[in-house]
Amino acid sequence: MNLKISSFAEYEQVYKQSVEQPEEFWAAIADNFQWKKKWDKVLDWNFTEPNVKWFDGAKLNITENCLDRHLDTLGDKPAIIWEPNDPNEDHRVLSYKQLHAKVCQFANVLKNNGVKKGDRICIYMPMLPELAIALLACARVGAIHSVVFGGFSAQSIADRINDATCSLVITADGGFRGAKDLPLKSVIDDALVQCQSVKRVIVLTRSRTPVAMIKGRDVWWEDEIKKVETQGNVDCPAEEMDAEDMMFILYTSGSTGKPKGVVHTCGGYMVYAGYTFANVFQYNPGEVYFCTADIGWITGHSYIVYGPLSQGATSLMFEGIPTYPDAGRFWDVVDKHKVNILYTAPTAIRSLMSFGDEPLKGKDLSSLTKLGSVGEPINEEAWHWYDEKIGKSNCPIVDTWWQTENGGILISPIAGVTPTKPGYATLPLPGVQPVLVDENGKEILGNGVSGNLCIKFPWPGIIRTTYGDHERCRQTYFATYPGMYFTGDGCLRDEDGYYRITGRVDDVLNVSGHRIGTAEVENAINMHATVVESAVVGYPHDIKGQGVYAFVVCPAKTDNEDLTRKDIMMTVQRIIGAIAKPDKIQFVSGLPKTRSGKIMRRILRKIAEGETSNLGDTSTLLDPGVVEEIKAGAL
Ligand code: PRX
């Protein structure tokens, strides 16, 4: 079966088949990939334990699908185009042959440094081709990568390294993002004070910032490559992986506790990332595809590295940010590399929209044929601006809804094939069976309804477990509504049956497309010496989608409120990272609580949203007076 659907009628027919005969459907899709051995059984599953196995018994290595199988036909074609942070620095192009050679080389470096199949490797790197090479080299030797986004603090890295007992870290001396220098190696050094399991750190040269190289632990990437070259170790056979062997871990925030390690496995992830990339973006050979995400997030894993490369695409990687050196940078990149497909986030669109038309002047965007959006709900104003100013009303916009736990896109238009609708992720992709449920878990049938979004049947990219704690996986995703995967999102299904994601229904925030657990931010704030307790909620933010609003009980603040505020910000930056810093901190003398001590977040959310007139019933509160005080002091 062809991966790409070419008409709406075909979509309807394929969708029907995918629901009626899922195993036949996915077997036919999986036939488009290269297997060392085919599966014994397409699917084995239950959502009670949960236990989901796709393509059980099959053997493969995803890097053979992303690299080796393209060498004969696409060997000299660009696999990765890399655009630097500084527009005056040269860009780089790696052909499939070159990328293959570099991945093999670095895979041999990993082996020389004792890495074996199943070892966990933490990757903390800037957006360079070497980051993609590091991921692929891990996959080549069967090591499990755990990429940590460059914006996370030493403490967050240490937590992630310890949770997965990583034995090796791959990093760089430093990185560049906009006008900022990122002291990556120094952050890793701080993290490793707490990490006994790490025996080796491989450091790539990027910023030439002075770094402390610890004897016996730290080695330079470039020196290790030289060793491999002198050994004449050019090739590196791909490790044979079982379809259900663990492939990678990616940490993500939930409503409780510390971030959890979402586990994806080799076969299903490969098929799902590759299939959805080819189909949703309707990728045609030779097209230049630019996903602006960071590889530190799932979007970068699936739609910069594995999805596009498995399809022989040209994937453009950008080191910088949309507004550096000015707000025309994305459009310069599109113009310079003749980008055909642009996949970005609503927060970037809203931020660029706020600069008006000026940054677009003189930029040739005529190469664009398809646009994508991901990470958060896109408001209609931003959708129309993207459509008109960037797509010149001539490019379908795929608003792709999915999550770290999904491996790939679940609900989205198929570019140019199925209809789009501003603000709507529209229709489920083949193989995806969404349902809306009410508070009691009862399925809400029909159209023109809203509820909590669940998925009632597995797809190949579904989360298999949370690393080291399967019970947490069951509790978080499969226990709220028995027999279904619960997404944590609220959703509307309109009269036409199109889905519109309305946002999280749990205590998770989505700030600039970054997922942040309110409990996590509260824990970080509470670490500050003078804080007694705190409550964090989201509020609508013009650019970020949601902002972080913290209500903090801190009796000692009176001396210097501003300084205390800054101290609390710094505490959050240290414990989690700059991405979780509150936008607003309101000092309060107490939090609204029920008599049993539960914080009434509903009330705080309304106050943060500026909706103080109708707070609902406050009579059950322990101290209703506190609400008046909080209302009066709202920021
Ligand atoms: O609330 C949804 C929102 O982002 C959440 C998933 O976050 P994360 O795991 O970090 O993955 C982001 C990139 C895949 C979802 O639960 N979300 C993601 N895409 C959309 C979205 N909300 C609305 N529309 C989208 N297209």
Side-chain angles (χ1 to χ4, degrees):
M1 180 186 285
N2 203 331
L3 296 185
K4 285 160 70 179
I5 287 170
S6 55
S7 68
F8 190 52
E10 187 186 347
Y11 162 78
E12 288 185 311
Q13 177 246 314
V14 169
Y15 185 80
K16 188 163 178 281
Q17 190 217 339
S18 77
V19 171
E20 286 170 0
Q21 301 176 305
E23 298 200 27
E24 287 79 354
F25 169 75
W26 285 112
I29 294 294
D31 270 336
N32 288 272
F33 294 80
Q34 187 177 307
W35 303 87
K36 286 173 186 282
K37 175 185 170 282
K38 287 269 173 92
W39 47 90
D40 301 320
K41 194 159 191 305
V42 177
L43 173 63
D44 206 356
W45 73 288
N46 71 70
F47 276 174
T48 25
E49 296 173 61
N51 183 7
V52 180
K53 287 191 183 130
W54 280 96
F55 311 114
D56 207 23
K59 308 268 187 203
L60 75 149
N61 187 294
I62 192 169
T63 68
E64 287 187 332
N65 283 268
C66 290
L67 301 167
D68 304 59
R69 71 164 167 162
H70 304 313
L71 294 181
D72 283 346
T73 47
L74 301 169
D76 295 318
K77 292 274 186 297
I80 293 180
I81 300 176
W82 174 76
E83 173 66 21
N85 182 57
D86 176 355
N88 297 316
E89 188 181 340
D90 288 340
H91 72 272
R92 290 166 62 189
V93 180
L94 291 179
S95 68
Y96 270 95
K97 264 189 204 149
Q98 289 165 326
L99 183 61
H100 175 261
K102 284 186 184 290
V103 169
C104 287
Q105 252 183 350
F106 194 67
N108 284 324
V109 166
L110 292 177
K111 282 188 184 166
N112 279 349
N113 283 281
V115 172
K116 296 178 307 299
K117 177 174 175 173
D119 289 355
R120 276 83 55 218
I121 312 263
C122 172
I123 302 181
Y124 186 67
M125 287 178 81
M127 281 286 286
L128 300 171
E130 282 71 17
L131 169 53
I133 291 166
L135 266 73
L136 290 160
C138 287
R140 188 83 174 172
V141 302
I144 297 161
H145 55 69
S146 163
V147 185
V148 179
F149 174 64
F152 281 115
S153 68
Q155 184 61 48
S156 293
I157 300 168
D159 290 344
R160 287 158 172 75
I161 287 177
N162 289 335
D163 187 69
T165 53
C166 296
S167 56
L168 188 144
V169 175
I170 309 172
T171 189
D173 48 359
F176 306 115
R177 253 175 83 78
K180 281 197 204 127
D181 290 350
L182 310 175
L184 300 174
K185 172 62 164 61
S186 151
V187 177
I188 288 291
D189 288 339
D190 288 347
L192 293 190
V193 172
Q194 302 182 47
C195 305
Q196 300 313 309
S197 58
V198 173
K199 302 293 177 242
R200 182 72 79 229
V201 180
I202 301 180
V203 188
L204 179 81
T205 308
R206 170 62 183 146
S207 62
R208 303 202 173 266
T209 339
V211 292
M213 294 294 282
I214 304 299
K215 197 179 291 166
R217 190 194 72 183
D218 302 351
V219 294
W220 289 104
W221 176 299
E222 296 78 9
D223 291 348
E224 295 302 296
I225 293 283
K226 276 197 202 107
K227 275 189 214 158
V228 168
E229 280 170 349
T230 40
Q231 287 164 353
N233 246 346
V234 280
D235 196 20
C236 177
E239 188 74 34
E240 187 170 280
M241 306 299 285
D242 285 335
E244 283 298 335
D245 276 342
M246 220 178 265
M247 181 181 155
F248 67 86
I249 307 171
L250 190 57
Y251 285 83
T252 191
S253 297
S255 45
T256 53
K258 295 224 174 212
K260 47 196 170 296
V262 172
V263 170
H264 286 289
T265 56
C266 296
Y269 176 78
M270 169 181 78
V271 169
Y272 202 69
Y275 169 59
T276 50
F277 171 77
N279 198 21
V280 169
F281 296 102
Q282 293 282 300
Y283 185 81
N284 298 311
E287 285 181 328
V288 177
Y289 160 86
F290 175 20
C291 167
T292 71
D294 191 288
I295 290 178
W297 307 111
I298 191 71
T299 307
H301 282 56
S302 300
Y303 298 114
I304 295 179
V305 183
Y306 294 111
L309 296 179
S310 77
Q311 300 308 303
T314 296
S315 183
L316 193 151
M317 245 180 110
F318 177 40
E319 186 185 29
I321 57 170
T323 49
Y324 181 82
D326 57 52
R329 187 64 195 281
F330 269 9
W331 323 127
D332 285 326
V333 177
V334 169
D335 192 344
K336 176 174 170 186
H337 298 287
K338 301 292 163 235
V339 170
N340 304 110
I341 308 171
L342 175 67
Y343 188 29
T344 192
T347 188
I349 298 168
R350 287 191 296 262
S351 149
L352 296 174
M353 187 170 82
S354 73
F355 289 89
D357 292 352
E358 194 57 33
L360 285 160
K361 290 215 172 104
K363 313 287 158 77
D364 180 5
L365 305 182
S366 62
S367 54
L368 289 172
T369 56
K370 291 160 251 184
L371 300 174
S373 170
V374 60
E376 39 174 331
I378 181 165
N379 47 311
E380 291 190 26
E381 191 191 358
W383 195 99
H384 286 295
W385 185 85
Y386 197 30
D387 180 39
E388 286 154 30
K389 302 287 178 182
I390 308 305
K392 315 290 180 201
S393 307
N394 212 12
C395 302
I397 297 177
V398 291
D399 176 1
T400 65
W401 173 83
W402 59 298
Q403 315 173 291
T404 305
E405 295 85 348
N406 307 157
I409 300 164
L410 294 190
I411 304 184
S412 169
I414 297 173
V417 172
T418 62
T420 63
K421 187 164 186 172
Y424 282 73
T426 70
L427 299 172
L429 293 181
V432 177
Q433 301 189 35
V435 285
L436 301 183
V437 297
D438 66 17
E439 300 287 282
N440 305 317
K442 194 166 171 302
E443 186 171 347
I444 305 169
L445 298 168
N447 290 339
V449 291
S450 21
N452 290 345
L453 179 62
C454 294
I455 317 284
K456 68 175 178 195
F457 195 86
W459 63 99
I462 190 174
I463 181 176
R464 299 301 196 271
T465 189
T466 43
Y467 191 83
D469 190 353
H470 193 63
E471 174 58 14
R472 192 163 174 206
C473 173
R474 190 189 69 78
Q475 279 280 347
T476 312
Y477 306 106
F478 299 92
T480 319
Y481 303 112
M484 289 184 251
Y485 166 83
F486 176 43
T487 65
D489 279 323
C491 183
L492 166 89
R493 186 168 53 221
D494 75 1
E495 294 298 343
D496 303 322
Y498 288 18
Y499 291 85
R500 178 188 188 123
I501 310 300
T502 48
R504 303 286 308 194
V505 293
D506 52 8
D507 290 320
V508 172
L509 306 182
N510 194 329
V511 180
S512 299
H514 299 156
R515 200 162 137 179
I516 298 172
T518 51
E520 229 183 303
V521 184
E522 287 162 8
N523 288 341
I525 293 175
N526 297 349
M527 303 275 269
H528 184 69
T530 58
V531 171
V532 176
E533 68 176 334
S534 62
V536 166
V537 297
Y539 70 96
H541 187 288
D542 283 351
I543 307 286
K544 298 176 172 189
Q546 272 189 310
V548 180
Y549 196 126
F551 298 89
V552 180
V553 182
C554 181
K557 58 99 194 15
T558 37
D559 303 347
N560 191 338
E561 225 173 69
D562 251 5
L563 189 62
T564 312
R565 219 175 245 123
K566 283 186 187 141
D567 287 347
I568 291 172
M569 296 275 192
M570 184 47 82
T571 314
V572 175
Q573 180 163 343
R574 279 251 179 258
I575 304 295
I576 306 177
I579 55 169
K581 277 201 291 193
D583 298 275
K584 294 182 181 179
I585 295 179
Q586 181 183 348
F587 293 112
V588 295
S589 63
L591 297 168
K593 287 186 184 167
T594 60
R595 291 199 180 90
S596 59
K598 203 169 162 298
I599 297 173
M600 294 283 274
R601 288 168 179 285
R602 177 178 57 78
I603 292 175
L604 294 175
R605 242 178 258 131
K606 287 216 161 160
I607 295 175
E609 286 165 7
E611 252 191 64
T612 48
S613 54
N614 178 21
L615 292 180
D617 182 13
T618 55
S619 63
T620 55
L621 289 179
L622 190 59
D623 173 12
V626 83
V627 175
E628 291 310 313
E629 177 216 305
I630 298 176
K631 259 164 63 174
L635 302 170

